Amino acid sequence: MGSGGREHALAWKLAQSPTCDKLFASPGNPGIAEHADCVPLDATNHDAIIAFCRENAISLVVIGPEAPLVDGLGDSLRIADIPVFGPSQAAAQLEGSKGFTKDLCQRAQIPTAGYVRTRSLDEAKDALLGFGAPYVLKADGLAAGKGVVIAETREEAESALLEMFGGKFGEAGAEVVIEEFMQGEEASFFALTDGHAILPFGSAQDHKRVGERDTGPNTGGMGAYSPAPVLTAELEAQVLREIIEPTVMALRQEGTPYSGVLYAGLMLTEQGPKLIEYNCRFGDPECQVLMMRLDSDLAAIMLACAKGELADTSAVFADQTALTVVMAARGYPDAPDKGGEIVLSETNTAEGSGKTKIFHAGTALKDGKLIANGGRVLNVTAMGGNVTQAQKAAYAALDAVRFPTGFCRRDIGWREVEREA
């Protein structure tokens, strides 16, 4: 289920599984169509999805984006006895409500930023008095990765709150969480869980800001690389012990066991790793670099997770670095210019274990031509011995793409490239 770059990466990897006889994607995109039959199912019509699964003897449903999970699609499929990779509606509140997650962290003593939940503009303005600049303001609900504002001054914070409570993020902004600003470097850690067993599933570093050297407004992500060397083996063990394991245990004890991928956005502070937020699905574009590195059978791992058999499963990743650069439509993240033609070179669309792969995110076919159909359009991904080598290979592949109305950051991986230098 899904149509973005994350779903293309998942479909590409699932199609390689010897246990996958037939793959469908809904709604899919032109890149996914190379690996799966695309079908136009409405993600909110659970009955139609269940009927399709029964008619086609589907043995596993993989839910890519967060909205269907928060909508409870996983519950509907489980009630119909159809194995599904993705958490229940109750457990998906980890992403569906920032306040829910902060409260859980407080109960389970999981390290995170101090916070206040606010439900009105006046309440939020009063709450600002308890924080110093810069102010971190988060729409409580789903806002497509764009519901976070970091305000440098109180005036900026009040202006942002006025917009948020004024409907800028729709229902997602009906409640706003105000957090203390955390100093440090961000990294992402992934783990699969069936509610009991936990399988570490790699690390990555995303680039959220639209501009180079992390400037400008937040986006859904302009590029990523995996693994993230700043997240050392020692720090990963600490994250598992202090953040992931207490989360899984708390949700199980509270009667809402979590099944699927836990994506922990982390701040590596002087006091140790702290949780910024959880996502209840693979990151986009982090999924793309994880799938490039994964040497194991993804379908078998996901099915074991869905069936509660993860304890007997392992995941092997290549030692190499994978790096992806997002090509976005001009005007993103505010008003992307859709409809621009894209021409991919033959070398970049070649399959196999090659060093580069282009994943389609916001693309469509019109009159036989590939066009931009979203904000983030392509994920140009490459492997290398380290971040510097992977970055060089990715930009070489990107420069062979003709997309006149697109743009990208030219510095994905810049922090690690400087460290390697």
Side-chain angles (χ1 to χ4, degrees):
M1 301 296 301
S3 63
R6 164 185 49 228
E7 288 76 33
H8 186 184
L10 293 172
W12 173 71
K13 185 56 71 172
L14 287 166
Q16 296 171 31
S17 168
T19 63
C20 181
D21 300 312
K22 182 73 175 174
L23 185 63
F24 295 94
S26 175
N29 66 35
I32 294 172
E34 297 173 14
H35 319 290
D37 287 357
C38 294
V39 292
L41 296 170
D42 178 356
T44 64
N45 189 338
H46 298 187
D47 289 342
I49 292 168
I50 290 166
F52 178 87
C53 290
R54 286 178 170 153
E55 288 164 13
N56 292 278
I58 300 298
S59 55
L60 176 67
V61 177
V62 178
I63 302 173
E66 61 275 17
L69 292 166
V70 172
D71 185 47
L73 178 58
D75 302 80
S76 298
L77 289 163
R78 287 187 180 93
I79 290 168
D81 205 27
I82 297 166
V84 57
F85 182 86
S88 67
Q89 184 177 40
Q93 285 185 89
L94 278 182
E95 181 167 4
S97 169
K98 302 288 192 301
F100 172 88
T101 298
K102 300 298 284 191
D103 289 351
L104 182 137
C105 288
Q106 195 172 60
R107 292 195 303 275
Q109 297 183 304
I110 294 166
T112 189
Y115 73 103
V116 173
R117 298 178 72 168
T118 66
R119 293 172 178 83
S120 71
L121 180 60
D122 288 341
E123 187 182 2
K125 284 182 177 180
D126 289 343
L128 288 176
L129 296 170
F131 297 86
Y135 302 91
V136 181
L137 316 172
K138 296 182 177 181
D140 180 70
L142 297 180
K146 304 182 189 74
V148 179
V149 176
I150 299 174
E152 297 297 332
T153 65
R154 184 177 170 85
E155 290 73 26
E156 280 182 32
E158 290 191 358
S159 176
L161 287 170
L162 186 64
E163 287 186 335
M164 293 169 98
F165 281 108
K168 181 177 181 180
F169 300 114
E171 290 182 9
E175 181 176 324
V176 175
V177 177
I178 301 174
E179 295 185 8
E180 67 172 329
F181 181 81
M182 292 191 288
Q183 293 280 1
E185 191 166 342
E186 288 189 41
S188 303
F189 182 75
F190 299 84
L192 306 190
T193 179
D194 56 12
H196 293 272
I198 297 170
L199 177 66
F201 212 72
S203 66
Q205 194 165 57
D206 187 17
H207 299 63
K208 284 289 184 198
R209 303 272 188 158
V210 75
E212 292 181 12
R213 297 189 83 84
D214 300 327
T215 57
N218 267 327
T219 72
M222 295 300 292
Y225 63 89
S226 173
V230 293
L231 206 54
T232 62
E234 183 181 25
L235 283 175
E236 285 193 4
Q238 188 178 352
V239 169
L240 274 168
R241 184 174 65 251
E242 297 180 2
I243 298 175
I244 304 294
E245 289 174 3
T247 300
V248 173
M249 184 182 296
L251 288 170
R252 185 174 69 246
Q253 290 175 343
E254 292 172 13
T256 55
Y258 192 99
S259 175
V261 60
L262 265 179
Y263 160 14
L266 305 169
M267 186 68 77
L268 306 181
T269 74
E270 289 182 353
Q271 297 81 39
K274 293 186 178 183
L275 182 72
I276 301 171
E277 63 182 18
Y278 271 127
N279 291 325
C280 61
R281 37 70 192 182
F282 281 107
D284 190 344
E286 295 94 335
C287 183
Q288 290 82 313
V289 287
L290 287 173
M291 292 306 113
M292 284 286 279
R293 293 183 54 232
L294 182 64
D295 284 338
S296 300
D297 184 336
L298 179 65
I301 292 171
M302 286 181 158
L303 188 60
C305 187
K307 291 186 170 182
E309 299 168 357
L310 199 60
D312 303 322
T313 307
S314 61
V316 178
F317 289 88
D319 289 335
Q320 286 185 299
T321 293
L323 183 143
T324 190
V325 181
V326 170
M327 296 190 79
R330 189 169 53 203
Y332 179 77
D334 296 320
D337 183 4
K338 296 183 182 181
E341 187 178 350
I342 305 159
V343 179
L344 305 178
S345 72
E346 289 183 16
T347 54
N348 283 335
T349 56
E351 276 301 329
S353 61
K355 297 294 182 186
T356 64
K357 173 70 182 170
I358 293 181
F359 296 109
H360 292 232
T363 65
L365 288 173
K366 184 178 181 182
D367 301 326
K369 294 179 179 179
L370 190 67
I371 62 165
N373 190 42
R376 295 183 296 166
V377 180
L378 298 171
N379 311 134
V380 184
T381 315
M383 297 278 279
N386 57 20
V387 175
T388 304
Q389 291 176 15
Q391 184 197 63
K392 184 178 179 181
Y395 282 110
L398 184 146
D399 288 337
V401 175
R402 294 211 303 276
F403 181 21
T405 60
F407 76 98
C408 68
R409 280 180 56 168
R410 304 291 310 192
D411 67 340
I412 300 303
W414 66 275
R415 283 192 184 87
E416 198 56 39
V417 168
E418 288 182 0
R419 282 191 281 258
E420 288 175 356

